Amino acid sequence: KYPASGIQAIDLTTMTRRVREDWFFRYLVNPQSYRPGTRMPTAFVDGQSAVQDICHGEPGRQMAALWTYLSDGDRAGVPEGVEGETIE
């Protein structure tokens, strides 16, 4: 386990054991509709990815990649760019 470097949050690597994949994809698109007031932003405004240089900007592929990463649970590595940076 790795402690959060900024605002504390739940361990998402347990998510794939708690929710269905289809629910996870819908949640990523609009977290506010499932949990009003959440700090969880969407990276898929109007169904479009905010990040175009990963998986060719294809939201479905990006969400599937996130699900695959989280499915690794405790074996999931620290994402590139996370270590050494503090989130305020």
Side-chain angles (χ1 to χ4, degrees):
K1 300 285 182 196
Y2 300 92
S5 60
I7 298 169
Q8 299 304 298
I10 63 170
D11 180 3
L12 295 179
T13 61
T14 65
M15 182 171 274
T16 59
R17 295 182 296 216
R18 298 181 287 117
V19 302
R20 292 188 324 262
E21 186 174 6
D22 62 306
W23 182 92
F24 175 74
F25 287 8
R26 289 191 311 273
Y27 181 76
L28 287 177
V29 172
N30 192 354
Q32 290 289 328
S33 70
Y34 289 88
R35 191 170 182 201
T38 184
R39 290 184 175 190
M40 171 79 174
T42 183
F44 306 101
V45 176
D46 297 326
Q48 300 297 311
S49 175
V51 182
Q52 293 297 308
D53 61 340
I54 297 176
C55 296
H56 305 287
E58 297 175 27
R61 288 183 60 199
Q62 291 176 352
M63 288 185 264
L66 286 168
W67 182 262
T68 298
Y69 169 78
L70 295 174
S71 294
D72 284 344
D74 290 341
R75 297 181 317 273
V78 176
E80 183 178 323
V82 170
E83 289 186 314
E85 295 179 26
T86 301
I87 301 172
E88 293 293 325

